[in-house]
Coordinates of all heavy atoms in Angstrom, one line a residue:
G1468 N -86.6 80.8 15.3 CA -86.6 82.2 15.9 C -85.8 83.3 15.1 O -85.8 84.5 15.4
A1469 N -85.1 82.8 14.1 CA -84.4 83.8 13.1 C -85.3 84.2 12.0 O -84.9 84.9 11.1 CB -83.1 83.3 12.7
G1470 N -86.5 83.6 11.9 CA -87.4 84.0 10.8 C -88.2 85.1 11.1 O -87.9 85.9 12.0
F1471 N -89.3 85.3 10.3 CA -90.1 86.5 10.4 C -90.9 86.7 11.7 O -90.6 87.6 12.5 CB -91.0 86.6 9.2 CG -92.1 87.5 9.2 CD1 -92.0 88.9 9.6 CD2 -93.4 87.1 8.9 CE1 -93.1 89.7 9.5 CE2 -94.5 88.0 9.0 CZ -94.3 89.3 9.3
I1472 N -91.8 85.7 12.0 CA -92.6 85.9 13.2 C -91.9 85.4 14.4 O -92.0 86.0 15.5 CB -93.9 85.0 13.0 CG1 -94.6 85.3 11.7 CG2 -94.8 85.3 14.2 CD1 -95.8 84.3 11.4
G1473 N -91.0 84.4 14.3 CA -90.2 83.9 15.4 C -89.3 85.0 16.0 O -89.2 85.1 17.2
S1474 N -88.7 85.9 15.1 CA -87.8 86.9 15.6 C -88.6 88.0 16.3 O -88.2 88.6 17.3 CB -87.0 87.5 14.5 OG -87.8 88.1 13.5
A1475 N -89.9 88.3 15.8 CA -90.8 89.2 16.4 C -91.1 88.7 17.9 O -91.1 89.5 18.8 CB -92.0 89.5 15.7
F1476 N -91.3 87.4 17.9 CA -91.7 86.8 19.2 C -90.5 86.9 20.2 O -90.7 87.3 21.4 CB -92.1 85.3 19.0 CG -92.4 84.6 20.3 CD1 -93.6 84.8 20.9 CD2 -91.5 83.6 20.8 CE1 -93.9 84.0 22.0 CE2 -91.8 82.9 21.9 CZ -93.1 83.1 22.6
I1477 N -89.3 86.6 19.7 CA -88.1 86.7 20.6 C -87.9 88.2 21.0 O -87.7 88.4 22.2 CB -86.9 86.2 19.9 CG1 -87.0 84.6 19.8 CG2 -85.6 86.6 20.6 CD1 -85.8 83.9 19.1
R1478 N -88.1 89.1 20.1 CA -87.8 90.5 20.5 C -88.8 90.9 21.6 O -88.5 91.5 22.6 CB -87.9 91.5 19.3 CG -86.8 91.2 18.3 CD -86.8 92.3 17.1 NE -88.0 92.5 16.4 CZ -88.4 91.8 15.3 NH1 -87.5 90.9 14.8 NH2 -89.5 92.0 14.7
H1479 N -90.0 90.4 21.4 CA -91.1 90.7 22.4 C -90.8 89.9 23.7 O -90.9 90.6 24.8 CB -92.4 90.2 21.9 CG -93.5 90.0 22.9 ND1 -94.2 91.1 23.4 CD2 -94.0 88.9 23.5 CE1 -95.1 90.6 24.3 NE2 -95.0 89.3 24.3
M1480 N -90.5 88.7 23.7 CA -90.2 87.9 25.0 C -89.0 88.4 25.8 O -89.0 88.5 27.0 CB -90.0 86.5 24.6 CG -91.3 85.8 24.1 SD -92.7 85.7 25.2 CE -92.2 84.4 26.2
V1481 N -88.0 88.8 25.1 CA -86.7 89.2 25.7 C -87.0 90.5 26.5 O -86.6 90.7 27.6 CB -85.6 89.3 24.7 CG1 -84.4 90.2 25.3 CG2 -85.1 88.0 24.2
A1482 N -87.8 91.4 25.9 CA -88.1 92.7 26.5 C -89.1 92.6 27.6 O -89.0 93.3 28.6 CB -88.6 93.7 25.4
T1483 N -90.1 91.6 27.4 CA -91.2 91.5 28.4 C -90.9 90.7 29.6 O -91.5 90.9 30.6 CB -92.5 91.0 27.6 OG1 -92.6 91.6 26.4 CG2 -93.7 91.0 28.5
Y1484 N -90.0 89.7 29.4 CA -89.7 88.8 30.6 C -88.3 88.6 30.9 O -87.6 87.7 30.4 CB -90.3 87.4 30.2 CG -91.8 87.3 29.9 CD1 -92.3 87.3 28.5 CD2 -92.7 87.4 30.9 CE1 -93.6 87.2 28.2 CE2 -94.1 87.4 30.6 CZ -94.5 87.3 29.3 OH -95.9 87.3 29.0
P1485 N -87.7 89.6 31.6 CA -86.3 89.6 31.9 C -85.8 88.3 32.6 O -84.7 87.9 32.7 CB -86.0 90.9 32.6 CG -87.4 91.5 32.9 CD -88.4 90.9 32.1
D1486 N -86.8 87.7 33.4 CA -86.5 86.5 34.2 C -86.4 85.2 33.4 O -86.0 84.2 33.8 CB -87.5 86.3 35.3 CG -87.5 87.5 36.3 OD1 -86.4 88.2 36.3 OD2 -88.4 87.6 37.0
Y1487 N -86.9 85.2 32.1 CA -86.9 84.0 31.2 C -85.5 84.1 30.5 O -85.1 85.2 30.1 CB -87.9 84.0 30.2 CG -89.4 83.8 30.8 CD1 -90.4 84.0 29.8 CD2 -89.6 83.6 32.1 CE1 -91.7 83.8 30.3 CE2 -90.9 83.4 32.6 CZ -92.0 83.5 31.6 OH -93.3 83.4 32.0
N1488 N -85.0 82.9 30.2 CA -83.9 82.8 29.3 C -84.5 82.4 27.9 O -85.1 81.4 27.8 CB -82.9 81.7 29.7 CG -82.2 82.2 31.0 OD1 -81.7 83.4 31.0 ND2 -82.2 81.4 32.0
I1489 N -84.2 83.1 26.9 CA -84.8 82.8 25.6 C -83.7 82.3 24.7 O -82.7 83.1 24.4 CB -85.4 84.1 24.9 CG1 -86.4 84.8 25.9 CG2 -86.1 83.8 23.6 CD1 -87.6 84.0 26.2
I1490 N -83.8 81.1 24.3 CA -82.8 80.5 23.4 C -83.4 80.2 22.0 O -84.3 79.5 21.8 CB -82.3 79.2 24.0 CG1 -81.6 79.4 25.4 CG2 -81.3 78.5 23.1 CD1 -82.5 79.2 26.5
C1491 N -82.8 80.9 21.0 CA -83.2 80.7 19.6 C -82.4 79.5 19.0 O -81.2 79.5 19.1 CB -82.8 82.0 18.8 SG -83.3 81.9 17.1
Y1492 N -83.2 78.6 18.4 CA -82.6 77.4 17.8 C -83.0 77.4 16.4 O -84.3 77.4 16.1 CB -83.0 76.2 18.5 CG -82.5 74.8 18.0 CD1 -81.3 74.3 18.4 CD2 -83.2 74.1 17.0 CE1 -80.8 73.2 17.9 CE2 -82.8 73.0 16.5 CZ -81.5 72.5 17.0 OH -81.0 71.3 16.5
D1493 N -82.1 77.7 15.4 CA -82.5 77.9 14.1 C -81.5 77.3 13.1 O -80.3 77.5 13.3 CB -82.7 79.4 13.8 CG -83.6 79.7 12.6 OD1 -83.1 79.3 11.5 OD2 -84.7 80.3 12.7
K1494 N -82.0 76.7 12.1 CA -81.1 76.1 11.1 C -80.5 77.2 10.1 O -79.5 76.9 9.4 CB -81.9 75.1 10.2 CG -81.2 74.3 9.3 CD -82.2 73.3 8.5 CE -81.4 72.5 7.4 NZ -82.5 71.7 6.8
L1495 N -81.1 78.4 10.1 CA -80.7 79.4 9.2 C -80.8 79.0 7.7 O -79.8 78.8 7.1 CB -79.3 80.0 9.5 CG -79.2 80.7 10.9 CD1 -77.8 81.3 11.1 CD2 -80.2 81.8 11.0
T1496 N -81.9 78.6 7.3 CA -82.2 78.3 6.0 C -82.2 79.7 5.2 O -81.9 80.7 5.7 CB -83.6 77.6 5.7 OG1 -84.6 78.6 6.1 CG2 -83.8 76.4 6.6
Y1497 N -82.6 79.6 3.9 CA -82.7 80.8 3.1 C -83.5 81.8 3.8 O -83.3 83.0 3.7 CB -83.3 80.5 1.7 CG -84.7 80.4 1.7 CD1 -85.6 81.5 1.4 CD2 -85.4 79.2 2.0 CE1 -87.0 81.4 1.5 CE2 -86.7 79.0 2.1 CZ -87.5 80.1 1.9 OH -88.9 80.1 1.9
A1498 N -84.5 81.4 4.6 CA -85.4 82.4 5.3 C -85.0 82.8 6.6 O -85.4 83.8 7.2 CB -86.9 81.7 5.4
G1499 N -84.0 82.2 7.2 CA -83.5 82.5 8.5 C -82.5 83.7 8.3 O -81.6 83.6 7.4
N1500 N -82.5 84.6 9.2 CA -81.7 85.8 9.0 C -81.4 86.3 10.4 O -82.2 86.8 11.2 CB -82.5 86.8 8.2 CG -81.7 88.0 7.8 OD1 -80.6 88.3 8.4 ND2 -82.2 88.8 6.9
I1501 N -80.1 86.3 10.7 CA -79.6 86.7 12.0 C -79.8 88.3 12.2 O -79.9 88.7 13.4 CB -78.1 86.2 12.2 CG1 -77.9 85.9 13.7 CG2 -77.1 87.1 11.6 CD1 -78.5 84.7 14.2
D1502 N -79.9 89.0 11.1 CA -80.1 90.4 11.2 C -81.4 90.7 12.0 O -81.6 91.8 12.6 CB -80.2 91.1 9.8 CG -78.8 91.2 9.2 OD1 -77.8 91.0 9.8 OD2 -78.9 91.5 7.9
N1503 N -82.4 89.7 11.9 CA -83.7 90.0 12.5 C -83.6 90.0 14.0 O -84.5 90.5 14.6 CB -84.7 88.8 12.1 CG -84.9 88.8 10.6 OD1 -84.4 89.5 9.8 ND2 -85.7 87.7 10.2
L1504 N -82.5 89.5 14.5 CA -82.3 89.4 15.9 C -81.3 90.4 16.5 O -80.9 90.4 17.7 CB -81.9 88.0 16.3 CG -82.9 87.0 16.1 CD1 -82.5 85.5 16.0 CD2 -84.1 87.0 17.2
L1505 N -80.8 91.3 15.6 CA -79.8 92.4 16.0 C -80.3 93.1 17.2 O -79.5 93.4 18.2 CB -79.5 93.3 14.8 CG -78.5 92.7 13.8 CD1 -78.3 93.7 12.6 CD2 -77.1 92.4 14.5
P1506 N -81.6 93.5 17.3 CA -82.1 94.3 18.3 C -81.9 93.6 19.7 O -82.0 94.4 20.8 CB -83.6 94.6 18.1 CG -83.7 94.4 16.6 CD -82.7 93.3 16.2
V1507 N -81.8 92.3 19.8 CA -81.6 91.7 21.1 C -80.3 91.0 21.3 O -80.0 90.3 22.3 CB -82.8 90.6 21.3 CG1 -84.1 91.2 21.5 CG2 -82.7 89.5 20.2
S1508 N -79.4 91.1 20.3 CA -78.2 90.3 20.3 C -77.4 90.5 21.5 O -76.6 89.6 21.9 CB -77.4 90.4 19.0 OG -77.1 91.8 18.9
D1509 N -77.4 91.7 22.3 CA -76.6 91.8 23.4 C -77.3 91.7 24.7 O -76.8 91.9 25.8 CB -76.0 93.2 23.4 CG -75.0 93.4 22.2 OD1 -74.3 92.4 21.9 OD2 -74.8 94.5 21.7
E1510 N -78.6 91.3 24.6 CA -79.4 91.2 25.9 C -78.8 89.9 26.6 O -78.7 88.8 26.1 CB -80.8 91.0 25.5 CG -81.4 92.2 24.9 CD -81.3 93.5 25.7 OE1 -81.4 93.3 27.0 OE2 -81.2 94.6 25.1
P1511 N -78.8 90.0 28.0 CA -78.2 88.9 28.8 C -79.2 87.7 28.9 O -78.7 86.6 29.1 CB -78.1 89.6 30.2 CG -79.0 90.8 30.2 CD -79.1 91.3 28.8
N1512 N -80.5 87.8 28.6 CA -81.3 86.6 28.7 C -81.7 86.1 27.3 O -82.7 85.4 27.1 CB -82.7 87.1 29.3 CG -83.5 88.2 28.6 OD1 -82.9 89.0 27.9 ND2 -84.8 88.3 28.8
Y1513 N -80.8 86.4 26.3 CA -81.0 85.8 25.0 C -79.7 85.0 24.5 O -78.6 85.4 24.7 CB -81.2 87.0 24.0 CG -81.0 86.6 22.5 CD1 -82.0 85.8 21.8 CD2 -79.8 87.0 21.8 CE1 -81.8 85.4 20.5 CE2 -79.7 86.5 20.5 CZ -80.6 85.8 19.9 OH -80.4 85.4 18.6
R1514 N -79.9 83.9 23.8 CA -78.8 83.1 23.3 C -79.2 82.7 21.9 O -80.4 82.4 21.6 CB -78.5 81.8 24.1 CG -78.2 82.0 25.5 CD -76.6 82.0 25.7 NE -76.3 82.2 27.1 CZ -76.5 83.2 27.8 NH1 -77.1 84.3 27.3 NH2 -76.2 83.3 29.1
F1515 N -78.3 82.4 21.0 CA -78.5 81.8 19.7 C -77.8 80.5 19.6 O -76.5 80.3 20.0 CB -78.1 82.7 18.6 CG -78.4 82.2 17.2 CD1 -79.7 82.2 16.7 CD2 -77.4 81.5 16.6 CE1 -80.0 81.6 15.4 CE2 -77.6 80.8 15.3 CZ -78.9 81.0 14.8
E1516 N -78.4 79.5 19.0 CA -77.8 78.2 18.7 C -78.3 77.7 17.3 O -79.4 77.6 17.1 CB -78.2 77.1 19.7 CG -77.4 75.9 19.5 CD -77.1 75.1 20.8 OE1 -77.0 75.8 21.9 OE2 -76.8 74.0 20.7

Side-chain angles (χ1 to χ4, degrees):
F1471 166 50
I1472 309 170
S1474 66
F1476 178 75
I1477 288 183
R1478 296 190 301 272
H1479 163 78
M1480 294 295 283
V1481 165
T1483 311
Y1484 302 102
D1486 293 345
Y1487 292 175
N1488 294 309
I1489 306 295
I1490 297 96
C1491 177
Y1492 181 87
D1493 197 296
K1494 186 179 179 182
L1495 296 180
T1496 65
Y1497 79 93
N1500 187 343
I1501 211 72
D1502 286 349
N1503 300 357
L1504 293 161
L1505 282 176
V1507 292
S1508 58
D1509 293 331
E1510 296 298 330
N1512 60 337
Y1513 163 76
R1514 301 263 181 294
F1515 179 82
E1516 183 147 340

